[in-house]
Amino acid sequence: TMSNALRAGYSINQAFEAIVREGVNPIAQEFGVFLQEIRVGVNMERALQNLEERVQSEDLTLMVRSVEIARQTGGNLTDVFDRIAHTIRERIRIQGRIRSMTAQGRLQGIVVGLLPILFLFVMMFLDPAMMQSFFSTATGISTLVLVGVLEAAGFVVIRKIVTINV
């Protein structure tokens, strides 16, 4: 939106206003707050930093840094915004692909993690007397605690394996 607004001849402030008018909340609201800060006398660099602190998005940080550099060096903001938009789209595409490729591992982790719990409930239903010793003896309780700790550790390990940062 900003790139198109700048191509149409808008100033950078007018481009931000276009985002507020045509954008989707909550980001349009955040840019509205940004514009209000500029109107009350906050300089653009500080208003951009405030926006970045409020939103805390890697993509917005990339945009803020690009605007700051382009303003200082006199670069072409339309090209910068086009490149940023392309980078964001590619990142989203890659994240979606990674998510689909790791879906099987996540599902396996869920199934393997839930099997012992399901097995415990099935055994409690089939033979409650046998399972009562797990809840009434020190050995049974320590075994249940050990199983719980190992389940949690397995969950963490599987989560680390299938989590890929882009």
Side-chain angles (χ1 to χ4, degrees):
T1 302
M2 287 193 65
S3 179
N4 291 336
L6 290 172
R7 274 196 195 98
Y10 288 8
S11 70
I12 191 159
N13 287 349
Q14 291 171 327
F16 282 120
E17 288 173 0
I19 288 178
V20 172
R21 275 193 318 272
E22 300 169 15
V24 182
N25 288 333
I27 195 65
Q29 289 175 328
E30 291 297 334
F31 278 110
V33 172
F34 163 78
L35 287 172
Q36 287 289 53
E37 288 179 346
I38 290 176
R39 287 183 189 124
V40 297
V42 177
N43 67 5
M44 173 134 342
E45 289 80 19
R46 184 64 201 153
L48 283 170
Q49 288 173 358
N50 293 341
L51 175 67
E52 184 181 349
E53 289 170 7
R54 282 192 310 270
V55 176
Q56 295 182 356
S57 165
E58 290 179 18
D59 298 331
L60 184 67
T61 299
L62 181 63
M63 193 261 326
V64 167
R65 297 291 177 262
S66 300
V67 168
E68 289 173 352
I69 291 169
R71 282 179 45 111
Q72 292 171 2
T73 62
N76 186 352
L77 277 176
T78 57
D79 290 340
V80 170
F81 287 137
D82 287 341
R83 286 190 195 116
I84 290 172
H86 177 73
T87 301
I88 292 170
R89 283 188 202 102
E90 282 299 306
R91 184 184 304 159
I92 290 170
R93 185 186 65 79
I94 290 170
Q95 285 173 341
R97 188 156 183 211
I98 288 171
R99 189 156 175 77
S100 68
M101 293 175 84
T102 59
Q104 181 180 357
R106 286 193 314 273
L107 183 62
Q108 286 174 340
I110 291 169
V111 169
V112 169
L114 291 178
L115 272 176
I117 297 167
L118 179 66
F119 185 69
L120 174 72
F121 285 118
V122 168
M123 290 304 294
M124 285 177 61
F125 177 74
L126 292 177
D127 194 358
M130 179 185 77
M131 294 305 290
Q132 191 61 30
S133 64
F134 271 107
F135 301 107
S136 61
T137 64
T139 306
I141 293 172
S142 62
T143 302
L144 287 175
V145 169
L146 178 65
V147 167
V149 168
L150 290 175
E151 279 281 321
F155 175 77
V156 169
V157 168
I158 289 173
R159 196 81 159 142
K160 288 275 188 192
I161 290 171
V162 297
T163 301
I164 299 171
N165 293 328
V166 178

